[in-house]
Amino acid sequence: MTTQKITIEPVTRIEGHAKVTIHMKEDHTVERAYMHVNEFRGFEKFCEGRLFFEMPQITPRICGICPVSHHLASAKAGDAITGQTPPRPANLLRELMHMGQIIQSHGMHFFELAGPDLLLGFDAAPEMRNVVGLIGANPDLTVKAVQLRKFGQEIIKILGGRRIHPVFAVPGGVNKALSVQERDTILAGVDAAVETLKIGLQIIKDWAEKNMEDINKFAVFPTGYFGLITPENGLELYDGDIRLISRDGAELERFPVADYLDHIAEHVEPWSYLKFPYYKKMGYPDGVYRVGPLGRLNLADKIDTPLADAELKIFKGLNNGKPVENTLYYHYARLIEALFATERVQTLCEDPDILSTDILNTRKDYNGHGVGVLEAPRGTLIHDYTADENGKLLRVNLIVSTGHNNWAMSNAVDSVAKTYVKGADVHEGMLNRVEAAIRAYDPCLSCSTHAVGQMPIQIDIVAPDGTMIKTLKRD
Protein backbone atom coordinates (compact mmCIF):
# COMPACT_ATOMS: atom_id res chain seq x y z
CA MET A 1 0.00 0.00 0.00
CA THR A 2 1.33 3.37 -0.99
CA THR A 3 0.63 6.43 1.13
CA GLN A 4 1.20 10.02 0.24
CA LYS A 5 3.06 12.21 2.65
CA ILE A 6 3.28 15.96 2.17
CA THR A 7 5.72 17.87 4.33
CA ILE A 8 5.64 21.66 4.47
CA GLU A 9 8.33 23.04 6.67
CA PRO A 10 7.87 25.41 8.33
CA VAL A 11 4.06 25.54 8.31
CA THR A 12 3.32 29.03 9.29
CA ARG A 13 1.52 32.13 8.20
CA ILE A 14 3.60 35.27 8.22
CA GLU A 15 3.45 36.03 11.91
CA GLY A 16 6.28 35.37 14.28
CA HIS A 17 9.41 37.13 13.11
CA ALA A 18 10.33 40.11 11.02
CA LYS A 19 13.68 41.14 9.67
CA VAL A 20 14.62 44.64 8.64
CA THR A 21 17.72 45.52 6.66
CA ILE A 22 18.85 49.10 6.40
CA HIS A 23 21.31 49.93 3.63
CA MET A 24 23.43 52.98 4.32
CA LYS A 25 25.11 55.46 1.99
CA GLU A 26 28.68 56.59 2.46
CA ASP A 27 27.45 59.76 4.17
CA HIS A 28 25.73 57.58 6.80
CA THR A 29 22.20 58.35 5.64
CA VAL A 30 19.77 55.59 4.74
CA GLU A 31 19.65 54.48 1.11
CA ARG A 32 16.86 51.90 1.49
CA ALA A 33 15.28 49.86 4.27
CA TYR A 34 13.42 46.60 3.78
CA MET A 35 11.00 44.62 5.90
CA HIS A 36 11.51 40.94 5.14
CA VAL A 37 8.79 38.40 5.79
CA ASN A 38 10.97 35.36 5.43
CA GLU A 39 8.64 32.62 6.57
CA PHE A 40 7.02 30.30 4.07
CA ARG A 41 3.24 30.41 3.77
CA GLY A 42 1.79 27.00 3.00
CA PHE A 43 -1.66 26.98 4.50
CA GLU A 44 -3.48 27.02 1.18
CA LYS A 45 -1.55 24.01 -0.10
CA PHE A 46 -2.22 21.66 2.77
CA CYS A 47 -5.93 22.56 2.72
CA GLU A 48 -6.19 21.05 -0.75
CA GLY A 49 -7.84 17.66 -0.50
CA ARG A 50 -9.84 18.54 2.60
CA LEU A 51 -13.63 18.83 2.49
CA PHE A 52 -14.93 22.38 2.16
CA PHE A 53 -17.17 22.13 5.22
CA GLU A 54 -14.13 21.35 7.38
CA MET A 55 -12.59 24.72 6.58
CA PRO A 56 -14.42 26.80 9.23
CA GLN A 57 -12.59 24.68 11.80
CA ILE A 58 -9.25 24.38 9.97
CA THR A 59 -8.59 27.97 8.90
CA PRO A 60 -9.01 29.61 12.35
CA ARG A 61 -5.72 27.91 13.22
CA ILE A 62 -4.06 30.44 10.91
CA CYS A 63 -4.25 32.99 13.68
CA GLY A 64 -4.73 32.85 17.43
CA ILE A 65 -5.63 36.53 17.54
CA CYS A 66 -8.41 36.68 14.96
CA PRO A 67 -9.61 33.07 14.54
CA VAL A 68 -13.21 34.30 14.36
CA SER A 69 -12.45 36.24 11.19
CA HIS A 70 -11.14 33.14 9.43
CA HIS A 71 -13.98 31.05 10.88
CA LEU A 72 -16.65 33.36 9.47
CA ALA A 73 -14.96 34.09 6.13
CA SER A 74 -14.62 30.35 5.63
CA ALA A 75 -18.30 29.76 6.45
CA LYS A 76 -19.28 32.50 3.99
CA ALA A 77 -17.25 30.76 1.29
CA GLY A 78 -19.12 27.56 2.20
CA ASP A 79 -22.44 29.41 1.81
CA ALA A 80 -21.44 30.33 -1.73
CA ILE A 81 -20.25 26.82 -2.61
CA THR A 82 -23.53 25.21 -1.56
CA GLY A 83 -25.82 28.07 -2.53
CA GLN A 84 -27.18 28.20 1.02
CA THR A 85 -28.14 31.78 1.90
CA PRO A 86 -28.21 31.99 5.72
CA PRO A 87 -31.48 33.18 7.30
CA ARG A 88 -31.39 36.76 8.61
CA PRO A 89 -31.12 35.65 12.28
CA ALA A 90 -28.04 33.60 11.43
CA ASN A 91 -26.38 36.57 9.76
CA LEU A 92 -27.17 38.73 12.79
CA LEU A 93 -25.56 36.16 15.08
CA ARG A 94 -22.49 35.82 12.88
CA GLU A 95 -22.09 39.60 12.80
CA LEU A 96 -22.50 39.73 16.57
CA MET A 97 -19.63 37.27 16.98
CA HIS A 98 -17.58 39.31 14.52
CA MET A 99 -18.15 42.46 16.57
CA GLY A 100 -16.82 40.59 19.59
CA GLN A 101 -13.71 39.78 17.55
CA ILE A 102 -13.24 43.42 16.53
CA ILE A 103 -13.65 44.67 20.12
CA GLN A 104 -11.21 42.22 21.68
CA SER A 105 -8.59 42.57 18.96
CA HIS A 106 -8.72 46.37 18.60
CA GLY A 107 -8.91 46.85 22.35
CA MET A 108 -5.92 44.63 22.97
CA HIS A 109 -3.85 46.27 20.26
CA PHE A 110 -4.46 49.84 21.34
CA PHE A 111 -4.13 49.45 25.08
CA GLU A 112 -1.68 46.57 25.41
CA LEU A 113 0.52 46.77 22.29
CA ALA A 114 0.52 50.34 21.04
CA GLY A 115 -0.30 51.72 24.50
CA PRO A 116 3.23 51.39 25.93
CA ASP A 117 4.60 53.56 23.09
CA LEU A 118 1.86 56.15 23.44
CA LEU A 119 1.67 56.29 27.23
CA LEU A 120 5.30 55.64 28.16
CA GLY A 121 7.08 56.98 25.07
CA PHE A 122 9.05 55.49 22.18
CA ASP A 123 12.29 56.05 24.12
CA ALA A 124 11.12 54.60 27.43
CA ALA A 125 13.28 51.83 28.87
CA PRO A 126 12.51 48.58 27.02
CA GLU A 127 12.03 46.66 30.27
CA MET A 128 9.18 49.04 31.16
CA ARG A 129 7.67 49.55 27.70
CA ASN A 130 5.13 46.76 28.02
CA VAL A 131 1.96 45.77 29.87
CA VAL A 132 3.82 45.57 33.18
CA GLY A 133 4.96 49.14 32.68
CA LEU A 134 1.41 50.21 31.96
CA ILE A 135 0.17 48.59 35.14
CA GLY A 136 2.71 50.58 37.10
CA ALA A 137 1.87 53.81 35.29
CA ASN A 138 -1.92 53.52 35.28
CA PRO A 139 -3.32 50.39 36.97
CA ASP A 140 -6.96 51.53 36.75
CA LEU A 141 -6.76 52.05 33.00
CA THR A 142 -4.97 48.74 32.53
CA VAL A 143 -7.75 46.89 34.36
CA LYS A 144 -10.38 48.63 32.20
CA ALA A 145 -8.44 47.63 29.08
CA VAL A 146 -8.34 44.00 30.17
CA GLN A 147 -12.07 44.09 30.87
CA LEU A 148 -12.73 45.57 27.43
CA ARG A 149 -10.94 42.68 25.78
CA LYS A 150 -12.76 40.25 28.05
CA PHE A 151 -16.09 41.73 26.92
CA GLY A 152 -15.29 40.91 23.28
CA GLN A 153 -14.07 37.44 24.16
CA GLU A 154 -17.19 36.68 26.21
CA ILE A 155 -19.38 37.47 23.20
CA ILE A 156 -17.37 34.95 21.19
CA LYS A 157 -17.59 32.37 23.96
CA ILE A 158 -21.34 32.77 24.46
CA LEU A 159 -21.97 32.16 20.78
CA GLY A 160 -19.21 29.73 19.89
CA GLY A 161 -18.59 27.85 23.12
CA ARG A 162 -15.03 29.11 23.62
CA ARG A 163 -13.04 32.30 23.26
CA ILE A 164 -10.55 30.98 20.69
CA HIS A 165 -11.34 28.70 17.77
CA PRO A 166 -15.13 28.75 18.26
CA VAL A 167 -17.46 26.15 16.78
CA PHE A 168 -20.42 28.14 15.52
CA ALA A 169 -20.81 29.03 11.83
CA VAL A 170 -21.57 26.35 9.25
CA PRO A 171 -22.48 26.67 5.57
CA GLY A 172 -26.01 27.99 5.50
CA GLY A 173 -26.08 29.52 8.98
CA VAL A 174 -25.01 28.80 12.54
CA ASN A 175 -25.46 25.85 14.85
CA LYS A 176 -26.70 27.59 17.98
CA ALA A 177 -29.42 30.15 18.75
CA LEU A 178 -29.02 32.90 21.35
CA SER A 179 -31.03 32.72 24.57
CA VAL A 180 -32.61 35.69 26.31
CA GLN A 181 -30.25 35.28 29.25
CA GLU A 182 -27.21 35.20 26.98
CA ARG A 183 -28.39 38.29 25.11
CA ASP A 184 -28.90 40.17 28.37
CA THR A 185 -25.45 39.14 29.60
CA ILE A 186 -23.92 40.66 26.48
CA LEU A 187 -26.01 43.83 26.72
CA ALA A 188 -24.95 44.32 30.34
CA GLY A 189 -21.36 44.85 29.23
CA VAL A 190 -21.97 47.48 26.54
CA ASP A 191 -21.92 50.63 28.70
CA ALA A 192 -18.60 49.82 30.40
CA ALA A 193 -17.00 49.02 27.05
CA VAL A 194 -18.18 52.34 25.59
CA GLU A 195 -16.78 54.25 28.56
CA THR A 196 -13.38 52.57 28.25
CA LEU A 197 -13.25 53.35 24.55
CA LYS A 198 -14.10 56.98 25.26
CA ILE A 199 -11.09 57.08 27.59
CA GLY A 200 -8.96 55.55 24.86
CA LEU A 201 -10.16 58.09 22.31
CA GLN A 202 -9.27 60.94 24.62
CA ILE A 203 -5.83 59.40 25.19
CA ILE A 204 -5.04 59.18 21.49
CA LYS A 205 -6.34 62.69 20.79
CA ASP A 206 -4.31 64.17 23.66
CA TRP A 207 -1.26 62.24 22.50
CA ALA A 208 -1.74 63.42 18.92
CA GLU A 209 -1.97 67.04 20.02
CA LYS A 210 1.34 66.75 21.89
CA ASN A 211 3.12 64.72 19.19
CA MET A 212 1.92 66.30 15.97
CA GLU A 213 5.48 66.73 14.71
CA ASP A 214 6.03 62.97 14.86
CA ILE A 215 2.63 62.20 13.34
CA ASN A 216 3.37 64.44 10.36
CA LYS A 217 6.76 62.90 9.58
CA PHE A 218 6.22 59.28 10.63
CA ALA A 219 5.51 57.18 7.52
CA VAL A 220 3.14 59.59 5.77
CA PHE A 221 2.53 58.61 2.14
CA PRO A 222 -0.35 58.37 -0.35
CA THR A 223 -1.95 55.08 -1.42
CA GLY A 224 -5.32 53.83 -2.57
CA TYR A 225 -7.73 52.38 0.01
CA PHE A 226 -9.68 49.12 -0.24
CA GLY A 227 -12.44 47.38 1.73
CA LEU A 228 -16.09 46.53 2.22
CA ILE A 229 -18.66 49.32 2.21
CA THR A 230 -22.43 49.64 2.69
CA PRO A 231 -24.57 50.68 -0.30
CA GLU A 232 -24.67 54.22 1.18
CA ASN A 233 -20.86 54.35 1.68
CA GLY A 234 -21.14 53.59 5.38
CA LEU A 235 -18.53 51.69 7.40
CA GLU A 236 -19.05 47.95 6.91
CA LEU A 237 -17.18 45.15 8.69
CA TYR A 238 -19.15 42.01 7.87
CA ASP A 239 -20.79 42.14 4.44
CA GLY A 240 -21.30 44.25 1.32
CA ASP A 241 -19.44 45.10 -1.87
CA ILE A 242 -15.80 46.12 -2.14
CA ARG A 243 -14.91 49.74 -2.79
CA LEU A 244 -11.52 50.93 -4.01
CA ILE A 245 -10.63 54.62 -3.91
CA SER A 246 -7.62 56.49 -5.24
CA ARG A 247 -5.06 58.36 -3.18
CA ASP A 248 -7.12 61.54 -3.61
CA GLY A 249 -10.36 59.85 -2.51
CA ALA A 250 -12.04 59.31 -5.90
CA GLU A 251 -13.87 56.03 -6.37
CA LEU A 252 -11.98 53.73 -8.74
CA GLU A 253 -14.04 50.56 -8.43
CA ARG A 254 -17.02 49.07 -6.64
CA PHE A 255 -17.66 45.36 -7.22
CA PRO A 256 -19.12 42.19 -5.66
CA VAL A 257 -16.61 40.27 -3.56
CA ALA A 258 -16.73 37.26 -5.89
CA ASP A 259 -15.18 39.41 -8.65
CA TYR A 260 -12.04 40.32 -6.69
CA LEU A 261 -9.68 38.60 -9.14
CA ASP A 262 -10.93 40.86 -11.93
CA HIS A 263 -9.42 43.80 -10.07
CA ILE A 264 -6.52 42.55 -7.93
CA ALA A 265 -3.19 41.04 -8.91
CA GLU A 266 -0.20 40.10 -6.76
CA HIS A 267 3.40 41.23 -7.23
CA VAL A 268 6.40 39.33 -5.85
CA GLU A 269 9.79 40.57 -4.66
CA PRO A 270 12.91 38.41 -4.29
CA TRP A 271 13.42 39.50 -0.67
CA SER A 272 10.04 38.43 0.75
CA TYR A 273 7.81 35.36 0.68
CA LEU A 274 4.76 37.60 1.20
CA LYS A 275 3.16 38.88 -1.99
CA PHE A 276 2.17 42.47 -2.74
CA PRO A 277 -1.46 42.85 -3.95
CA TYR A 278 -2.26 45.83 -6.18
CA TYR A 279 -5.00 47.25 -8.37
CA LYS A 280 -4.59 45.70 -11.83
CA LYS A 281 -5.52 48.71 -13.92
CA MET A 282 -2.85 50.91 -12.33
CA GLY A 283 -0.12 48.27 -12.13
CA TYR A 284 2.56 47.86 -9.48
CA PRO A 285 3.46 49.91 -7.47
CA ASP A 286 1.09 52.69 -8.62
CA GLY A 287 -1.89 50.50 -7.78
CA VAL A 288 -0.96 49.67 -4.18
CA TYR A 289 -3.53 50.35 -1.52
CA ARG A 290 -4.06 50.09 2.23
CA VAL A 291 -6.67 48.16 4.20
CA GLY A 292 -7.62 48.00 7.87
CA PRO A 293 -8.92 50.74 10.17
CA LEU A 294 -7.28 53.69 8.40
CA GLY A 295 -8.32 52.39 4.99
CA ARG A 296 -11.89 51.66 6.05
CA LEU A 297 -12.44 55.10 7.55
CA ASN A 298 -10.98 56.70 4.44
CA LEU A 299 -13.46 54.68 2.37
CA ALA A 300 -16.52 55.53 4.48
CA ASP A 301 -18.59 58.70 4.32
CA LYS A 302 -20.48 57.85 7.49
CA ILE A 303 -20.94 55.32 10.29
CA ASP A 304 -24.39 54.02 11.16
CA THR A 305 -24.00 54.37 14.93
CA PRO A 306 -24.10 57.79 16.63
CA LEU A 307 -20.97 57.89 18.80
CA ALA A 308 -18.67 56.42 16.18
CA ASP A 309 -20.16 58.64 13.48
CA ALA A 310 -19.39 61.72 15.58
CA GLU A 311 -15.76 60.56 15.87
CA LEU A 312 -15.62 59.89 12.13
CA LYS A 313 -16.49 63.52 11.47
CA ILE A 314 -13.49 64.58 13.60
CA PHE A 315 -11.31 62.02 11.81
CA LYS A 316 -12.39 63.36 8.41
CA GLY A 317 -11.30 66.82 9.49
CA LEU A 318 -7.70 65.72 10.00
CA ASN A 319 -6.98 66.16 6.29
CA ASN A 320 -9.87 68.40 5.30
CA GLY A 321 -11.99 65.52 4.05
CA LYS A 322 -9.25 63.96 1.92
CA PRO A 323 -7.80 60.52 2.79
CA VAL A 324 -5.78 60.55 6.01
CA GLU A 325 -2.29 59.33 5.06
CA ASN A 326 -0.54 59.37 8.44
CA THR A 327 0.35 55.85 9.53
CA LEU A 328 0.12 56.71 13.25
CA TYR A 329 -3.56 57.58 12.81
CA TYR A 330 -4.22 53.85 12.40
CA HIS A 331 -4.45 53.88 16.22
CA TYR A 332 -7.16 56.55 16.24
CA ALA A 333 -9.10 54.80 13.47
CA ARG A 334 -8.86 51.51 15.36
CA LEU A 335 -10.57 52.98 18.41
CA ILE A 336 -13.35 54.53 16.32
CA GLU A 337 -14.02 51.11 14.83
CA ALA A 338 -14.04 49.48 18.26
CA LEU A 339 -16.60 52.05 19.35
CA PHE A 340 -18.71 51.27 16.29
CA ALA A 341 -18.47 47.55 17.01
CA THR A 342 -19.62 48.07 20.60
CA GLU A 343 -22.56 50.21 19.52
CA ARG A 344 -23.33 47.63 16.87
CA VAL A 345 -23.43 44.91 19.54
CA GLN A 346 -26.24 46.79 21.23
CA THR A 347 -28.11 47.29 17.95
CA LEU A 348 -27.82 43.61 17.06
CA CYS A 349 -28.88 42.43 20.52
CA GLU A 350 -31.94 44.67 20.44
CA ASP A 351 -33.07 43.29 17.08
CA PRO A 352 -36.02 40.88 17.70
CA ASP A 353 -34.62 38.42 15.14
CA ILE A 354 -31.46 37.89 17.22
CA LEU A 355 -33.41 35.41 19.40
CA SER A 356 -34.96 33.52 16.51
CA THR A 357 -34.29 29.80 16.12
CA ASP A 358 -34.45 30.11 12.32
CA ILE A 359 -30.69 29.87 12.06
CA LEU A 360 -29.93 27.40 9.26
CA ASN A 361 -30.92 27.16 5.59
CA THR A 362 -30.65 23.53 4.51
CA ARG A 363 -31.70 24.08 0.90
CA LYS A 364 -28.68 23.53 -1.35
CA ASP A 365 -27.75 24.54 -4.86
CA TYR A 366 -24.20 23.18 -5.02
CA ASN A 367 -21.87 24.83 -7.52
CA GLY A 368 -18.42 23.95 -6.16
CA HIS A 369 -16.97 27.46 -5.96
CA GLY A 370 -17.30 30.11 -3.30
CA VAL A 371 -15.72 33.35 -2.10
CA GLY A 372 -16.13 34.55 1.48
CA VAL A 373 -15.04 38.06 2.44
CA LEU A 374 -15.26 40.16 5.59
CA GLU A 375 -13.32 42.90 7.28
CA ALA A 376 -11.01 41.28 9.82
CA PRO A 377 -9.58 43.62 12.47
CA ARG A 378 -6.49 44.17 10.34
CA GLY A 379 -8.29 44.52 7.01
CA THR A 380 -10.06 42.75 4.19
CA LEU A 381 -9.92 38.95 4.46
CA ILE A 382 -10.64 36.84 1.37
CA HIS A 383 -11.27 33.07 1.34
CA ASP A 384 -11.72 31.56 -2.14
CA TYR A 385 -12.42 27.82 -2.45
CA THR A 386 -12.93 25.55 -5.47
CA ALA A 387 -14.19 22.01 -4.77
CA ASP A 388 -15.00 18.95 -6.86
CA GLU A 389 -18.42 17.28 -7.07
CA ASN A 390 -17.74 15.51 -3.76
CA GLY A 391 -16.82 18.67 -1.89
CA LYS A 392 -13.08 17.95 -1.87
CA LEU A 393 -11.08 21.13 -2.24
CA LEU A 394 -9.09 21.46 -5.46
CA ARG A 395 -7.86 25.00 -4.92
CA VAL A 396 -7.67 27.39 -1.97
CA ASN A 397 -6.72 31.05 -2.23
CA LEU A 398 -6.41 33.18 0.90
CA ILE A 399 -5.58 36.86 0.84
CA VAL A 400 -5.18 38.10 4.38
CA SER A 401 -5.08 41.64 5.66
CA THR A 402 -1.34 41.69 6.21
CA GLY A 403 -0.82 40.78 2.57
CA HIS A 404 -2.86 43.76 1.38
CA ASN A 405 -0.76 46.02 3.61
CA ASN A 406 2.59 44.47 2.72
CA TRP A 407 3.74 47.32 0.48
CA ALA A 408 2.55 49.90 3.00
CA MET A 409 4.38 48.24 5.90
CA SER A 410 7.56 47.93 3.85
CA ASN A 411 7.33 51.55 2.76
CA ALA A 412 6.63 52.64 6.34
CA VAL A 413 9.80 50.91 7.54
CA ASP A 414 11.80 52.61 4.78
CA SER A 415 10.25 55.99 5.56
CA VAL A 416 10.80 55.77 9.32
CA ALA A 417 14.39 54.57 8.91
CA LYS A 418 15.18 57.48 6.58
CA THR A 419 13.54 59.91 8.98
CA TYR A 420 15.06 58.74 12.25
CA VAL A 421 18.30 56.91 11.45
CA LYS A 422 21.23 59.27 11.10
CA GLY A 423 24.63 57.61 11.00
CA ALA A 424 25.69 54.24 12.34
CA ASP A 425 25.06 55.14 15.98
CA VAL A 426 21.71 53.42 16.21
CA HIS A 427 20.00 53.35 19.58
CA GLU A 428 17.15 51.25 20.93
CA GLY A 429 14.58 54.02 20.55
CA MET A 430 15.16 53.94 16.81
CA LEU A 431 14.61 50.17 16.82
CA ASN A 432 11.35 50.73 18.59
CA ARG A 433 10.23 53.36 16.07
CA VAL A 434 10.88 50.97 13.19
CA GLU A 435 8.93 48.35 15.08
CA ALA A 436 6.15 50.86 15.68
CA ALA A 437 5.91 51.52 11.94
CA ILE A 438 5.08 47.85 11.44
CA ARG A 439 2.98 47.62 14.60
CA ALA A 440 0.65 50.44 13.52
CA TYR A 441 -0.79 48.04 10.94
CA ASP A 442 -1.27 45.36 13.62
CA PRO A 443 -0.01 42.68 11.23
CA CYS A 444 -0.38 38.98 11.79
CA LEU A 445 3.43 38.70 11.87
CA SER A 446 3.32 40.30 15.30
CA CYS A 447 1.10 37.59 16.76
CA SER A 448 3.93 36.10 18.77
CA THR A 449 4.58 39.43 20.47
CA HIS A 450 1.09 40.08 21.72
CA ALA A 451 1.73 38.53 25.10
CA VAL A 452 4.49 40.89 26.17
CA GLY A 453 4.15 43.85 23.83
CA GLN A 454 7.30 43.50 21.80
CA MET A 455 8.14 41.70 18.60
CA PRO A 456 11.13 39.55 17.73
CA ILE A 457 12.99 41.68 15.21
CA GLN A 458 16.44 42.00 13.67
CA ILE A 459 17.84 45.16 12.10
CA ASP A 460 21.00 44.98 9.98
CA ILE A 461 22.92 48.15 9.11
CA VAL A 462 24.79 47.53 5.86
CA ALA A 463 27.59 49.72 4.46
CA PRO A 464 27.72 50.61 0.73
CA ASP A 465 30.35 47.90 0.17
CA GLY A 466 28.07 45.27 1.69
CA THR A 467 29.87 44.89 4.99
CA MET A 468 27.76 44.66 8.11
CA ILE A 469 28.10 47.72 10.31
CA LYS A 470 25.82 46.67 13.13
CA THR A 471 23.08 44.20 13.96
CA LEU A 472 20.42 44.89 16.55
CA LYS A 473 18.38 41.88 17.53
CA ARG A 474 15.48 41.33 19.86
CA ASP A 475 14.43 37.72 20.51
Side-chain angles (χ1 to χ4, degrees):
M1 179 178 179
T2 301
T3 61
Q4 184 180 29
K5 180 179 180 180
I6 299 175
T7 301
I8 301 175
E9 186 179 6
V11 179
T12 69
R13 294 291 295 176
I14 56 170
E15 68 270 29
H17 295 267
K19 178 181 178 182
V20 174
T21 55
I22 300 175
H23 296 254
M24 307 292 288
K25 300 177 184 176
E26 292 183 352
D27 63 359
H28 299 300
T29 60
V30 174
E31 179 180 15
R32 184 75 168 88
Y34 298 91
M35 182 193 75
H36 305 271
V37 179
N38 49 14
E39 296 168 344
F40 180 70
R41 173 184 170 190
F43 215 92
E44 293 134 316
K45 195 64 180 175
F46 74 68
C47 287
E48 292 178 5
R50 304 304 298 244
L51 298 172
F52 75 88
F53 52 79
E54 296 179 306
M55 295 297 276
Q57 294 310 310
I58 293 174
T59 55
R61 271 67 184 177
I62 291 171
C63 180
I65 303 301
C66 53
V68 169
S69 302
H70 289 287
H71 177 64
L72 297 178
S74 184
K76 292 178 78 172
D79 297 339
I81 287 175
T82 58
Q84 294 172 272
T85 302
R88 183 172 185 270
N91 275 328
L92 295 178
L93 290 167
R94 286 184 182 183
E95 185 180 356
L96 179 61
M97 175 178 273
H98 189 45
M99 295 304 102
Q101 170 71 88
I102 295 290
I103 293 166
Q104 76 89 9
S105 181
H106 278 2
M108 179 184 68
H109 186 271
F110 179 78
F111 288 104
E112 299 172 24
L113 301 181
D117 290 333
L118 303 179
L119 297 173
L120 305 175
F122 288 118
D123 293 310
E127 62 271 21
M128 294 301 297
R129 204 175 53 233
N130 49 43
V131 175
V132 175
L134 283 183
I135 293 173
N138 195 333
D140 182 61
L141 176 62
T142 306
V143 170
K144 289 180 185 297
V146 171
Q147 290 173 337
L148 175 67
R149 187 185 182 212
K150 181 181 179 183
F151 173 61
Q153 288 181 304
E154 284 301 308
I155 295 173
I156 296 168
K157 182 183 178 184
I158 286 172
L159 294 168
R162 50 194 181 191
R163 297 180 180 89
I164 300 176
H165 301 148
V167 180
F168 184 58
V170 294
V174 298
N175 59 17
K176 175 182 174 298
L178 186 70
S179 71
V180 173
Q181 183 180 11
E182 290 170 334
R183 179 201 62 185
D184 292 346
T185 298
I186 294 172
L187 278 172
V190 169
D191 289 346
V194 168
E195 289 307 309
T196 300
L197 289 165
K198 285 181 177 177
I199 294 172
L201 284 162
Q202 194 58 53
I203 289 172
I204 188 65
K205 286 189 279 193
D206 289 346
W207 183 87
E209 185 176 344
K210 297 173 183 174
N211 296 273
M212 194 55 67
E213 181 180 348
D214 272 330
I215 289 175
N216 288 332
K217 68 179 184 182
F218 190 103
V220 183
F221 47 81
T223 60
Y225 297 95
F226 179 99
L228 295 178
I229 198 80
T230 71
E232 299 79 23
N233 285 346
L235 177 66
E236 175 61 65
L237 299 179
Y238 179 70
D239 215 345
D241 288 341
I242 288 175
R243 187 185 191 208
L244 175 64
I245 63 172
S246 67
R247 56 187 61 186
D248 60 4
E251 182 170 292
L252 297 172
E253 301 286 351
R254 181 188 291 262
F255 54 88
V257 295
D259 296 341
Y260 77 99
L261 286 177
D262 293 338
H263 304 279
I264 299 173
E266 295 179 292
H267 176 79
V268 295
E269 293 283 359
W271 42 270
S272 177
Y273 279 123
L274 185 58
K275 293 181 283 189
F276 297 77
Y278 64 95
Y279 176 41
K280 280 183 177 179
K281 288 183 180 177
M282 294 180 67
Y284 182 87
D286 291 342
V288 296
Y289 54 82
R290 283 188 268 186
V291 300
L294 189 77
R296 290 188 288 247
L297 294 199
N298 280 330
L299 285 171
D301 296 336
K302 63 174 186 174
I303 297 179
D304 294 330
T305 59
L307 297 176
D309 191 54
E311 287 294 337
L312 178 67
K313 288 181 171 61
I314 299 172
F315 176 88
K316 291 292 185 182
L318 295 173
N319 196 25
N320 299 317
K322 297 179 180 177
V324 176
E325 300 170 336
N326 314 63
T327 293
L328 286 173
Y329 276 134
Y330 258 95
H331 300 305
Y332 183 26
R334 190 167 287 117
L335 284 176
I336 296 173
E337 286 195 337
L339 184 60
F340 162 71
T342 305
E343 292 183 283
R344 186 67 182 151
V345 165
Q346 182 164 2
T347 302
L348 290 166
C349 285
E350 291 176 347
D351 190 307
D353 278 351
I354 201 74
L355 297 176
S356 171
T357 57
D358 180 21
I359 55 175
L360 182 64
N361 176 10
T362 59
R363 296 185 297 274
K364 296 182 181 179
D365 184 16
Y366 186 84
N367 64 61
H369 178 245
V371 178
V373 178
L374 53 67
E375 289 294 329
R378 293 148 191 84
T380 312
L381 173 63
I382 300 172
H383 282 219
D384 181 354
Y385 307 153
T386 301
D388 66 13
E389 66 278 11
N390 297 313
K392 188 170 73 174
L393 290 173
L394 303 173
R395 175 181 174 275
V396 174
N397 189 36
L398 308 174
I399 301 181
V400 302
S401 316
T402 301
H404 292 293
N405 278 334
N406 192 16
W407 183 90
M409 289 190 295
S410 299
N411 197 56
V413 166
D414 184 55
S415 174
V416 170
K418 288 175 177 173
T419 300
Y420 291 95
V421 177
K422 305 295 181 185
D425 184 19
V426 180
H427 55 79
E428 205 281 337
M430 173 264 156
L431 170 65
N432 187 44
R433 283 175 172 79
V434 173
E435 183 178 347
I438 302 170
R439 186 186 296 127
Y441 292 87
D442 192 16
C444 285
L445 61 88
S446 67
C447 283
S448 63
T449 74
H450 283 185
V452 294
Q454 67 179 22
M455 172 172 61
I457 191 170
Q458 177 177 316
I459 294 182
D460 294 335
I461 312 297
V462 184
D465 63 0
T467 59
M468 192 71 71
I469 298 175
K470 180 183 288 188
T471 294
L472 294 173
K473 186 175 182 180
R474 173 182 293 155
D475 294 323

